[in-house]
Amino acid sequence: MTFDARLRRGPVTVRPPATSANLGPGFDAFGLALELRDEVTVEATDGGLELEISGEGAESLPVDENHLIVRSLRAAFGRLGVQPPGLRVRCVNRIPHGRGLGSSSAAICAGIMAARALVVDAELALDAYGALDLANELEGHPDNVAPCLVGGFTTAWLQPDGVDVLRIDPAEGVSAVLFVPSQPLSTHVARGLLPKDVPHVDASFNAGRSGLLALALTAPDLRPERRRELLFAGTEDRLHQGYRAAAMRPTAELVTRLRADGHPAVVSGAGPSVLAFGVAGAPSLRAAEYARGGDPRVGGPIWGAAELPVAAVGVVVDEDEAG
């Protein structure tokens, strides 16, 4: 295979953010980008595949064409009508895997955006909506890939001609406190616990709470205490968290403890991590006290806790490196 003249040799570095989907009532629609980023550097070469992984998943992820980033690169190059003879890929993984923080969406979006940066005039063949459509196709749902690509708070939905997205920045002072357990949970397992049908009253309940959550996150000029109250009410859910609770009891118990103390807490994505919204000026969440709730002597998780700002931008692309 010859080296196509449309290819830049690179390298190009992309940094996709972590994301949290659903946020309680916004099942398969709402997403939030968080300021925790993987770093992926890609070069087009004359042949072969070199793949180096450090950080999360370094001991378990494949180092061949089956790696999700490589598959996403290949898919994006395919849409662009060009395949490099070889690839050199270096991954520094910081987003925990299998914890409901969008690690697979980060890999997919990193591959797509790196491929775009390595092809001359790629945006003509694969524009922003084309990238979103491809990411949704690879991931199977748009709620994580949308905020990963565009940042902020997003709602994504399917149109007859593809995926659409609306993003908005949360109000100043809104942050996310993440509780991440030591053990992962398969998203496939979590989705398998959901019923095919739900009661109309529950669907109606979630529709109302979704609208409230969007306003509570973004409306200006709310007093901190009032915003916290609205976030608490707006994060109630009847469509998915209860059905999944049996598969991640420590997660459900932590959400219950946090909400009993007035904190707007939800399962992050399909779990098992927990996200609680913080509001500057409102009573603070003492994360360390809740993180100590897991007792390894009785099988409870060891929770890691961190407060993360909302990521205002999605995948960051250092295009200058590609020349």
Side-chain angles (χ1 to χ4, degrees):
M1 184 185 298
T2 59
F3 201 92
D4 195 296
R6 291 173 293 167
L7 283 168
R8 300 181 174 110
R9 286 193 176 267
V12 61
T13 298
V14 297
R15 294 189 295 276
T19 52
S20 181
N22 302 329
L23 307 179
F27 179 66
D28 273 5
F30 284 174
L32 190 69
L34 302 169
E35 202 53 72
L36 173 65
R37 295 178 183 268
D38 287 346
E39 185 173 299
V40 180
T41 301
V42 182
E43 295 179 69
T45 65
D46 292 315
L49 173 64
E50 301 175 42
L51 182 55
E52 176 188 338
I53 305 170
S54 61
E56 294 283 338
E59 304 301 321
S60 58
L61 293 172
V63 289
D64 55 20
E65 293 282 344
N66 293 310
H67 192 286
L68 186 54
I69 289 179
V70 178
R71 287 160 43 205
S72 302
L73 282 163
R74 296 297 191 196
F77 283 128
R79 292 289 172 92
L80 293 166
V82 57
Q83 285 288 348
L87 288 169
R88 182 178 296 117
V89 183
R90 182 172 63 86
C91 307
V92 181
N93 293 339
R94 301 185 180 97
I95 302 170
H97 287 204
R99 305 302 201 284
L101 294 173
S103 61
S104 62
S105 290
I108 288 167
C109 295
I112 292 170
M113 298 307 289
R116 275 182 26 129
L118 287 170
V119 176
V120 176
D121 293 331
E123 64 277 4
L124 299 178
L126 189 67
D127 63 10
Y129 282 101
L132 177 59
D133 284 338
L134 177 57
N136 175 64
E137 181 181 317
L138 293 170
E139 177 74 325
H141 46 91
D143 49 352
N144 284 102
V145 295
C148 189
L149 286 171
V150 303
F153 166 61
T154 62
T155 183
W157 65 99
L158 298 178
Q159 297 274 63
D161 58 349
V163 184
D164 209 343
V165 61
L166 178 67
R167 77 166 300 284
I168 191 168
D169 291 318
E172 185 176 352
V174 174
S175 62
V177 179
L178 271 298
F179 296 88
V180 184
S182 55
Q183 296 299 316
L185 175 70
S186 165
T187 300
H188 177 74
V189 170
R191 282 190 170 269
L193 297 171
L194 299 179
K196 183 178 179 181
D197 301 299
V198 296
H200 186 276
V201 65
D202 290 345
S204 175
F205 178 92
N206 268 52
R209 290 305 194 273
S210 295
L212 174 58
L213 177 57
L215 290 172
L217 277 173
T218 62
D221 304 325
L222 288 175
R223 291 182 295 104
E225 293 84 358
R226 180 57 172 161
R227 189 180 303 280
R228 184 172 180 262
E229 291 173 1
L230 295 175
L231 285 171
F232 183 84
T235 48
E236 291 184 292
D237 161 71
R238 292 184 183 175
L239 288 188
H240 64 102
Q241 293 183 150
Y243 295 109
R244 291 167 165 168
M248 41 184 169
R249 291 193 183 280
T251 295
E253 290 167 2
L254 178 56
V255 170
T256 299
R257 288 174 55 214
L258 286 161
R259 295 189 69 86
D261 292 338
H263 299 295
V266 298
V267 178
S268 181
S273 295
V274 172
L275 180 148
F277 285 108
V279 179
S284 61
L285 193 166
R286 294 185 292 274
E289 296 182 8
Y290 294 95
R292 287 196 294 267
D295 186 351
R297 293 172 299 177
V298 294
I302 301 174
W303 296 97
E307 184 171 5
L308 297 176
V310 176
V313 297
V315 181
V316 174
V317 182
D318 294 334
E319 295 189 67
D320 289 346
E321 297 180 33

